Amino acid sequence: MSIVDAVPTPAAACCSPVSGKPLSRAEAERIAPVLKALGDSVRLRLMSLIAAHEGGEACVCDLNESFDLSQPTISRHLKILYDAGLLEREKRGVWVYYRARNEALGSLAALLAGTGK
Amino acid sequence: MSIVDAVPTPAAACCSPVSGKPLSRAEAERIAPVLKALGDSVRLRLMSLIAAHEGGEACVCDLNESFDLSQPTISRHLKILYDAGLLEREKRGVWVYYRARNEALGSLAALLAGTGK
Protein backbone atom coordinates (compact mmCIF):
# COMPACT_ATOMS: atom_id res chain seq x y z
CA MET A 1 0.00 0.00 0.00
CA SER A 2 1.31 3.43 -0.78
CA ILE A 3 0.43 6.61 1.01
CA VAL A 4 0.89 9.82 -0.88
CA ASP A 5 1.14 12.79 1.43
CA ALA A 6 -0.85 15.88 0.77
CA VAL A 7 1.57 18.03 -1.20
CA PRO A 8 1.97 21.70 -0.33
CA THR A 9 1.21 24.19 -3.08
CA PRO A 10 4.41 24.97 -4.98
CA ALA A 11 5.21 28.43 -3.75
CA ALA A 12 7.16 29.33 -6.84
CA ALA A 13 4.53 28.44 -9.42
CA CYS A 14 3.25 31.91 -9.87
CA CYS A 15 5.34 34.61 -11.30
CA SER A 16 6.74 36.47 -14.23
CA PRO A 17 10.51 36.75 -14.61
CA VAL A 18 12.27 39.10 -12.23
CA SER A 19 13.19 41.29 -15.20
CA GLY A 20 9.66 41.73 -16.55
CA LYS A 21 7.92 43.88 -14.02
CA PRO A 22 8.99 44.12 -10.41
CA LEU A 23 7.79 41.34 -8.14
CA SER A 24 5.13 42.42 -5.71
CA ARG A 25 5.89 42.20 -2.04
CA ALA A 26 3.46 39.28 -1.72
CA GLU A 27 5.11 37.38 -4.60
CA ALA A 28 8.57 37.97 -3.15
CA GLU A 29 7.44 36.78 0.26
CA ARG A 30 6.07 33.59 -1.30
CA ILE A 31 9.15 32.81 -3.39
CA ALA A 32 12.00 33.86 -1.08
CA PRO A 33 11.47 30.94 1.36
CA VAL A 34 11.75 28.47 -1.55
CA LEU A 35 15.09 29.96 -2.61
CA LYS A 36 16.18 30.01 1.02
CA ALA A 37 15.34 26.30 1.30
CA LEU A 38 17.69 25.68 -1.65
CA GLY A 39 20.31 28.04 -0.26
CA ASP A 40 22.07 25.36 1.77
CA SER A 41 24.69 23.07 0.29
CA VAL A 42 23.34 19.89 1.91
CA ARG A 43 19.81 20.59 0.69
CA LEU A 44 21.03 21.52 -2.77
CA ARG A 45 22.93 18.21 -2.97
CA LEU A 46 19.88 16.33 -1.70
CA MET A 47 17.72 17.89 -4.44
CA SER A 48 20.35 17.08 -7.01
CA LEU A 49 20.80 13.48 -5.81
CA ILE A 50 17.05 12.87 -5.85
CA ALA A 51 16.53 14.45 -9.29
CA ALA A 52 19.49 12.58 -10.79
CA HIS A 53 18.57 9.26 -9.20
CA GLU A 54 17.20 6.45 -11.32
CA GLY A 55 13.55 7.12 -12.09
CA GLY A 56 13.82 10.62 -10.62
CA GLU A 57 13.14 9.45 -7.14
CA ALA A 58 15.17 8.26 -4.21
CA CYS A 59 14.65 6.49 -0.94
CA VAL A 60 16.05 7.96 2.24
CA CYS A 61 18.08 4.77 2.36
CA ASP A 62 19.75 5.81 -0.94
CA LEU A 63 20.63 9.27 0.32
CA ASN A 64 22.25 8.62 3.68
CA GLU A 65 25.43 7.16 2.24
CA SER A 66 26.30 10.40 0.42
CA PHE A 67 26.54 12.45 3.59
CA ASP A 68 28.50 12.42 6.81
CA LEU A 69 25.34 13.34 8.62
CA SER A 70 22.96 11.55 10.91
CA GLN A 71 19.69 10.19 9.57
CA PRO A 72 17.64 12.69 11.65
CA THR A 73 19.67 15.58 10.22
CA ILE A 74 19.06 14.39 6.68
CA SER A 75 15.37 13.94 7.43
CA ARG A 76 15.20 17.47 8.79
CA HIS A 77 16.71 18.85 5.57
CA LEU A 78 14.30 16.77 3.48
CA LYS A 79 11.39 18.12 5.49
CA ILE A 80 12.51 21.72 4.79
CA LEU A 81 12.59 20.94 1.05
CA TYR A 82 9.21 19.22 1.27
CA ASP A 83 7.64 22.09 3.24
CA ALA A 84 8.96 24.53 0.61
CA GLY A 85 7.07 22.58 -2.06
CA LEU A 86 10.23 21.31 -3.76
CA LEU A 87 9.76 17.60 -3.07
CA GLU A 88 6.98 15.06 -3.17
CA ARG A 89 7.14 12.12 -0.83
CA GLU A 90 5.53 8.71 -0.69
CA LYS A 91 5.72 6.03 1.93
CA ARG A 92 6.17 2.46 0.66
CA GLY A 93 6.53 -0.16 3.31
CA VAL A 94 9.09 1.04 5.81
CA TRP A 95 10.78 3.59 3.52
CA VAL A 96 9.88 7.07 2.37
CA TYR A 97 10.62 7.91 -1.27
CA TYR A 98 11.26 11.45 -2.47
CA ARG A 99 10.80 12.98 -5.91
CA ALA A 100 11.73 16.50 -7.10
CA ARG A 101 8.73 18.67 -7.97
CA ASN A 102 9.62 19.62 -11.50
CA GLU A 103 7.02 22.35 -11.79
CA ALA A 104 8.34 24.15 -8.72
CA LEU A 105 11.93 24.03 -9.97
CA GLY A 106 10.77 25.01 -13.46
CA SER A 107 8.93 28.04 -12.10
CA LEU A 108 11.95 29.20 -10.15
CA ALA A 109 14.09 28.74 -13.25
CA ALA A 110 11.67 30.78 -15.37
CA LEU A 111 11.66 33.50 -12.76
CA LEU A 112 15.45 33.75 -12.77
CA ALA A 113 15.92 33.18 -16.49
CA GLY A 114 14.01 36.27 -17.55
CA THR A 115 16.93 38.41 -16.52
CA GLY A 116 19.50 36.28 -18.27
CA LYS A 117 18.26 37.05 -21.78
CA MET B 1 34.33 59.80 -14.28
CA SER B 2 33.00 56.37 -13.71
CA ILE B 3 34.53 53.73 -11.51
CA VAL B 4 33.62 50.11 -12.18
CA ASP B 5 34.25 47.94 -9.17
CA ALA B 6 36.04 44.67 -9.52
CA VAL B 7 33.22 42.19 -9.97
CA PRO B 8 33.30 38.89 -8.05
CA THR B 9 33.28 35.74 -10.12
CA PRO B 10 29.69 34.63 -10.62
CA ALA B 11 29.48 31.70 -8.27
CA ALA B 12 26.69 30.04 -10.18
CA ALA B 13 28.33 30.07 -13.61
CA CYS B 14 29.57 26.55 -13.48
CA CYS B 15 27.24 23.68 -13.36
CA SER B 16 25.07 21.18 -15.10
CA PRO B 17 21.37 20.97 -14.17
CA VAL B 18 20.59 19.44 -10.80
CA SER B 19 18.89 16.57 -12.58
CA GLY B 20 21.82 15.60 -14.81
CA LYS B 21 24.36 14.16 -12.49
CA PRO B 22 24.50 14.97 -8.81
CA LEU B 23 26.23 18.19 -7.88
CA SER B 24 29.55 17.71 -6.20
CA ARG B 25 29.99 18.96 -2.70
CA ALA B 26 32.26 21.74 -3.98
CA GLU B 27 29.70 22.84 -6.58
CA ALA B 28 26.90 22.83 -4.02
CA GLU B 29 29.00 24.86 -1.60
CA ARG B 30 29.66 27.42 -4.33
CA ILE B 31 26.05 27.74 -5.47
CA ALA B 32 24.12 27.51 -2.19
CA PRO B 33 25.26 30.95 -0.94
CA VAL B 34 23.97 32.54 -4.16
CA LEU B 35 20.54 30.98 -3.65
CA LYS B 36 20.65 31.97 -0.01
CA ALA B 37 21.37 35.58 -1.03
CA LEU B 38 18.19 35.47 -3.14
CA GLY B 39 16.25 33.71 -0.40
CA ASP B 40 15.11 36.90 1.26
CA SER B 41 12.05 38.82 0.12
CA VAL B 42 13.70 42.25 0.30
CA ARG B 43 16.70 41.10 -1.73
CA LEU B 44 14.47 39.32 -4.23
CA ARG B 45 12.47 42.53 -4.71
CA LEU B 46 15.68 44.54 -5.04
CA MET B 47 16.94 42.18 -7.79
CA SER B 48 13.58 42.39 -9.50
CA LEU B 49 13.37 46.19 -9.26
CA ILE B 50 16.88 46.60 -10.65
CA ALA B 51 16.37 44.12 -13.51
CA ALA B 52 13.01 45.63 -14.45
CA HIS B 53 14.23 49.23 -14.21
CA GLU B 54 14.73 51.31 -17.33
CA GLY B 55 17.96 50.25 -19.01
CA GLY B 56 18.34 47.30 -16.62
CA GLU B 57 20.04 49.36 -13.99
CA ALA B 58 18.97 51.39 -11.01
CA CYS B 59 20.44 53.96 -8.71
CA VAL B 60 20.16 53.48 -4.97
CA CYS B 61 18.14 56.67 -5.09
CA ASP B 62 15.55 54.86 -7.28
CA LEU B 63 15.27 51.91 -4.91
CA ASN B 64 14.76 53.53 -1.52
CA GLU B 65 11.25 54.67 -2.22
CA SER B 66 9.97 51.10 -2.71
CA PHE B 67 10.85 50.02 0.81
CA ASP B 68 10.00 51.02 4.35
CA LEU B 69 13.63 50.47 5.24
CA SER B 70 16.53 52.73 6.08
CA GLN B 71 19.14 53.51 3.46
CA PRO B 72 21.85 51.57 5.39
CA THR B 73 19.60 48.50 5.51
CA ILE B 74 19.00 48.65 1.76
CA SER B 75 22.72 49.14 1.16
CA ARG B 76 23.47 46.10 3.31
CA HIS B 77 21.09 43.96 1.25
CA LEU B 78 22.61 45.28 -1.99
CA LYS B 79 26.08 44.39 -0.70
CA ILE B 80 24.95 40.81 -0.01
CA LEU B 81 23.65 40.52 -3.60
CA TYR B 82 26.86 42.09 -4.93
CA ASP B 83 29.09 39.80 -2.86
CA ALA B 84 27.13 36.80 -4.17
CA GLY B 85 27.98 37.84 -7.73
CA LEU B 86 24.39 38.76 -8.60
CA LEU B 87 24.88 42.49 -9.13
CA GLU B 88 27.38 44.78 -10.80
CA ARG B 89 27.82 48.25 -9.42
CA GLU B 90 29.23 51.47 -10.75
CA LYS B 91 29.76 54.79 -9.05
CA ARG B 92 28.79 57.87 -11.05
CA GLY B 93 29.20 61.14 -9.25
CA VAL B 94 27.58 60.80 -5.84
CA TRP B 95 25.38 57.80 -6.68
CA VAL B 96 26.03 54.10 -7.05
CA TYR B 97 24.19 52.33 -9.89
CA TYR B 98 23.38 48.62 -9.82
CA ARG B 99 22.79 46.19 -12.66
CA ALA B 100 21.70 42.54 -12.49
CA ARG B 101 24.38 40.07 -13.63
CA ASN B 102 22.45 38.23 -16.30
CA GLU B 103 24.94 35.40 -16.63
CA ALA B 104 24.75 34.58 -12.93
CA LEU B 105 20.94 34.51 -12.96
CA GLY B 106 20.98 32.56 -16.22
CA SER B 107 23.31 29.94 -14.77
CA LEU B 108 21.11 29.49 -11.72
CA ALA B 109 18.07 29.18 -13.98
CA ALA B 110 19.79 26.54 -16.11
CA LEU B 111 20.75 24.64 -13.01
CA LEU B 112 17.17 24.56 -11.75
CA ALA B 113 15.53 24.13 -15.14
CA GLY B 114 17.12 20.76 -15.84
CA THR B 115 14.77 19.15 -13.40
CA GLY B 116 11.69 20.87 -14.76
CA LYS B 117 11.81 19.10 -18.13
Side-chain angles (χ1 to χ4, degrees):
Chain A
M1 194 179 79
S2 85
I3 300 158
V4 179
D5 287 341
V7 175
T9 305
C14 68
C15 309
S16 53
V18 286
S19 62
K21 62 172 188 163
L23 288 175
S24 71
R25 187 169 175 159
E27 286 173 325
E29 286 175 355
R30 203 159 53 228
I31 300 163
V34 186
L35 289 163
K36 188 176 177 185
L38 285 173
D40 174 278
S41 65
V42 170
R43 292 196 290 275
L44 199 53
R45 285 177 66 208
L46 279 168
M47 279 302 294
S48 173
L49 281 165
I50 293 166
H53 204 261
E54 196 182 335
E57 68 172 16
C59 170
V60 175
C61 54
D62 297 321
L63 300 170
N64 291 340
E65 64 195 35
S66 298
F67 297 89
D68 286 334
L69 296 169
S70 68
Q71 166 69 58
T73 299
I74 290 177
S75 291
R76 186 173 57 78
H77 282 300
L78 288 167
K79 183 177 187 310
I80 290 171
L81 291 168
Y82 174 78
D83 288 344
L86 289 162
L87 289 178
E88 293 172 3
R89 67 186 178 196
E90 188 178 352
K91 194 165 189 299
R92 294 186 210 141
V94 297
W95 294 112
V96 180
Y97 288 76
Y98 289 89
R99 177 179 288 276
R101 298 199 70 191
N102 295 344
E103 68 281 19
L105 286 165
S107 296
L108 280 183
L111 177 83
L112 298 175
T115 309
K117 283 169 190 165
Chain B
M1 195 178 80
S2 87
I3 300 157
V4 178
D5 285 343
V7 175
T9 305
C14 69
C15 310
S16 52
V18 287
S19 62
K21 63 172 187 160
L23 288 176
S24 71
R25 187 168 172 161
E27 285 173 326
E29 287 174 354
R30 204 159 50 229
I31 302 163
V34 186
L35 289 162
K36 189 175 176 187
L38 286 173
D40 173 278
S41 65
V42 170
R43 291 196 290 273
L44 199 52
R45 284 177 67 208
L46 279 169
M47 281 299 296
S48 172
L49 281 165
I50 292 166
H53 203 262
E54 196 181 336
E57 69 172 16
C59 169
V60 175
C61 54
D62 297 322
L63 300 169
N64 292 340
E65 64 195 34
S66 299
F67 297 89
D68 286 333
L69 296 170
S70 69
Q71 166 70 57
T73 299
I74 291 177
S75 291
R76 186 173 56 79
H77 282 300
L78 288 167
K79 183 178 187 312
I80 291 170
L81 291 168
Y82 174 78
D83 288 344
L86 289 162
L87 289 178
E88 294 171 5
R89 67 185 177 195
E90 187 178 353
K91 194 164 189 297
R92 293 187 211 141
V94 297
W95 293 111
V96 180
Y97 287 77
Y98 289 89
R99 176 179 289 276
R101 297 198 71 190
N102 296 345
E103 68 280 19
L105 286 165
S107 297
L108 279 182
L111 177 84
L112 298 174
T115 309
K117 282 170 189 164

